Amino acid sequence: MELVGLRQVSEAAQRLTGGVVRTPVVPCPWADGEFWVKPENLQPTGAFKIRGATNAVALLDGATRARGVVTHSSGNHGQALAHAARALGARCTVVAPEGASPVKVEAMRAMGARVVTVPPERREETARALAAEEGAALVPPFDHPDVIAGQGTVGLEIVADLPEVDVVLVPVGGGGLASGVATAVTALRPSARVVGVEPEAAADTAEGLALGRRTVWASERTRHTIADGVRVGNSELTFAHLRERLDSVVTVGEAQIRAAMGVLARRARLVAEPSGALATAAYLSGRTPRGRTVAVVSGGNADPWLLAEVLTAAVRPR
């Protein structure tokens, strides 16, 4: 299986110029002086997904793009694809799992997407069927080289802004972000360690890497994590990248995810959804290697009620 390389990531960076925010690497002096965050929640759609979606849509030929694009997503990739498609005059359909965040579903519709809701285990097959039926292009949320290359631009920017970075922490769900970031960072800064982070309730990548083969956890199992953006497992393509380029994967509990959301809001002034807080949770828990560390805050599309609950719990007298 051919893996994405630094050339594809660098070419994606050129395509994204002007349409995607080049987010900063922000120091966090309230930690220990060696911790920075990469706030992808500052993207126009609130998450890193805009990078891969924009790159993938830009690479479609005009005739294909005119027939529209289809994907499956719990929210962030759907918003990103709808945004990219609208910018280029293409129709967008998103197949969302039942129980998806209402905030994210409404945001996808606001971007002009048609949203089709199905049981979680049927979302990928439904997206493929719709794409075939309508002659549209399927742009999956992570299982595509163009998407991985676009997400890898996060890694390019980290190394450019902090050339002596020692550790990069990145959330892992489908694995597109971690695959792309690891591709860029290991090529540009071979001594750096790229560490994936998963919830304990959705740790299929950690299990797969430990076993030496890809494993798939059923949605009935992963639905117990608050981090809805990483409930979906990796693909053969992303697992190949993660096995080759990740240094390790660590896991965090639900209480640690909630705590990290609160810390990011109160100390870094950043709104992070549960999936977006994973990398910071791993650092704060002490489960990661030490050194100059950047944690990717992958998204900020948090449910307002959940955010209020987390913040209230953080300041409630004990």
Side-chain angles (χ1 to χ4, degrees):
M1 181 180 297
E2 185 175 354
L3 304 186
V4 171
L6 182 61
R7 177 182 60 80
Q8 290 103 308
V9 178
S10 299
E11 290 173 352
Q14 296 300 313
R15 294 186 196 98
L16 302 189
T17 301
V20 171
V21 173
R22 191 193 187 288
T23 56
V25 172
V26 181
C28 299
W30 43 266
D32 58 7
E34 289 197 309
F35 184 58
W36 289 256
V37 292
K38 175 77 166 166
E40 286 294 290
N41 59 314
L42 301 182
Q43 293 293 350
T45 57
F48 74 94
K49 292 282 191 177
I50 192 173
R51 295 173 181 266
T54 299
N55 189 52
V57 174
L59 285 167
L60 295 175
D61 63 72
T64 300
R65 196 183 301 144
R67 293 192 293 272
V69 293
V70 176
T71 194
H72 57 94
S73 169
S74 61
N76 285 342
H77 177 67
Q79 291 180 61
L81 187 62
H83 180 278
R86 185 168 66 178
L88 292 170
R91 293 176 293 106
C92 177
T93 298
V94 181
V95 178
E98 293 173 351
S101 165
V103 172
K104 293 181 179 179
V105 171
E106 180 54 36
M108 289 189 284
R109 291 194 172 113
M111 290 281 181
R114 174 182 60 157
V115 179
V116 177
T117 304
V118 299
E121 65 275 9
R122 290 185 50 213
R123 67 187 212 173
E124 183 173 354
E125 65 178 85
T126 302
R128 292 186 181 280
L130 283 173
E133 178 184 330
E134 299 175 3
L138 181 67
V139 181
F142 51 86
D143 191 27
H144 196 287
D146 297 340
V147 173
I148 291 172
Q151 319 304 27
T153 59
V154 171
L156 288 184
E157 294 172 10
I158 289 173
V159 177
D161 290 350
L162 193 65
E164 296 185 355
V165 63
D166 297 313
V167 182
V168 177
L169 306 178
V170 57
V172 180
L177 176 62
S179 294
V181 169
T183 294
V185 173
T186 55
L188 296 171
R189 174 75 170 162
S191 64
R193 304 173 75 175
V194 183
V195 178
V197 185
E198 290 182 306
E200 292 171 356
D204 50 344
T205 295
E207 180 180 271
L209 292 177
L211 294 174
R213 56 178 173 77
R214 178 174 173 253
T215 61
V216 180
W217 287 18
S219 58
E220 291 79 9
R221 186 176 184 184
T222 62
R223 67 181 176 85
H224 295 293
T225 180
I226 193 175
D228 61 296
V230 296
R231 288 173 182 160
V232 64
N234 57 67
S235 67
E236 294 287 353
L237 178 63
T238 56
F239 185 75
H241 284 79
L242 301 177
R243 180 174 52 196
E244 180 72 20
R245 294 170 179 166
L246 271 190
D247 182 76
S248 61
V249 176
V250 299
T251 61
V252 292
E254 300 300 294
Q256 292 168 320
I257 298 170
R258 287 173 175 265
M261 289 177 66
V263 169
L264 286 168
R266 289 181 287 106
R267 306 301 299 275
R269 279 49 172 191
L270 293 173
V271 172
E273 62 190 273
S275 304
L278 280 174
T280 299
Y283 186 82
L284 296 176
S285 71
R287 299 187 181 187
T288 64
R290 295 289 119 170
R292 292 174 291 265
T293 301
V294 176
V296 179
V297 179
S298 57
N301 294 314
D303 184 294
W305 296 104
L306 172 61
L307 185 62
E309 177 186 308
V310 167
L311 292 175
T312 301
V315 298
R316 183 182 298 136
R318 299 186 183 279

